[in-house]
Amino acid sequence: DRPKGIEAVKRVVEHLQKGHRKSLIVMATGTGKTRVAMAIIKILMEKGVVQKVLFLADRKALRDQAFNKGYKVFFPEESKDKIFSGNYDKSKRLYVSTIQTLQEIYLDKDTNGQFRLSPGEFDLIISDEAHRSIYNKWKGVFTYFDAIQIGLTATPSEIIDRDTFRFFECREGSPTALYS
């Protein structure tokens, strides 16, 4: 509902329509990254591109914000859930979780020896504060799932072993959408 937010949504959706599977949104703190993410989710769901969405955060407060100020506000009729463990209701369409929880369960197996989460479990994964959550021990979560991935951050990193731009396949250090 803000011109820069609308522009960010358009850029990401167009980027995905061109066949790309990763996007990076760089927006200053307080400019509406969660709102932009909800708009992208809505468009991709309406177009039938995605069915199940996972919003990942590295802190409980950000997880709860995405659920309460994101999903509940913009998707009041849609089935949604918070993932706290590997035993979650797979019939929902919208999920939020912390990266720490997903790290604990993404390769966990059930009593039949089957992985609790398949690589195709989600169609879209949004990583809030992506500059903090896509490296080191958390990276496996993102490389395991075969989903469209969108990173949200105010402060991307260009450090060689933590290059947010490279992870989200941005050319020449340019994010898919930028609002400084």
Side-chain angles (χ1 to χ4, degrees), residues 164-180:
T164 313
F165 297 107
R166 186 178 57 223
F167 184 88
F168 286 100
E169 301 172 0
C170 298
R171 293 187 178 178
E172 301 171 9
S174 296
T176 313
L178 171 65
Y179 181 29
S180 60

Side-chain angles (χ1 to χ4, degrees), residues 44-179:
L44 296 178
M45 287 176 76
E46 287 176 351
K47 292 181 177 277
V49 175
V50 301
Q51 298 298 313
K52 291 176 78 173
V53 178
L54 173 62
F55 192 104
L56 280 177
D58 66 339
R59 295 181 311 194
K60 292 176 184 176
L62 294 174
R63 175 203 63 203
D64 294 344
Q65 174 184 312
F67 192 81
N68 296 324
K69 294 182 179 180
Y71 287 166
K72 281 187 174 181
V73 172
F74 298 104
F75 301 97
E77 305 299 320
E78 201 61 64
S79 59
K80 58 189 113 357
D81 204 2
K82 291 181 185 179
I83 299 175
F84 295 109
S85 70
N87 298 318
Y88 74 100
D89 184 349
K90 293 186 177 191
S91 69
K92 309 291 184 185
R93 291 189 71 193
L94 302 172
Y95 299 91
V96 295
S97 185
T98 62
I99 188 76
Q100 293 87 346
T101 297
L102 259 289
Q103 176 68 22
E104 291 173 13
I105 67 171
Y106 84 99
L107 287 178
D108 192 25
K109 294 185 179 179
D110 63 19
T111 55
N112 297 321
Q114 300 294 313
F115 289 119
R116 292 188 190 277
L117 298 175
S118 78
E121 193 78 33
F122 306 103
D123 304 304
L124 171 63
I125 297 175
I126 296 180
S127 173
D128 198 7
E129 300 297 345
H131 66 283
R132 292 195 304 244
S133 58
I134 58 173
Y135 301 104
N136 300 326
K137 64 183 178 177
W138 315 125
K139 186 176 183 177
V141 171
F142 294 94
T143 57
Y144 176 75
F145 291 108
D146 181 22
I148 295 169
Q149 297 179 8
I150 299 174
L152 308 175
T153 186
T155 55
S157 175
E158 292 183 86
I159 300 169
I160 290 181
D161 63 339
R162 295 182 58 154
D163 189 337
T164 313
F165 297 107
R166 186 178 57 223
F167 184 88
F168 286 100
E169 301 172 0
C170 298
R171 293 187 178 178
E172 301 171 9
S174 296
T176 313
L178 171 65
Y179 181 29

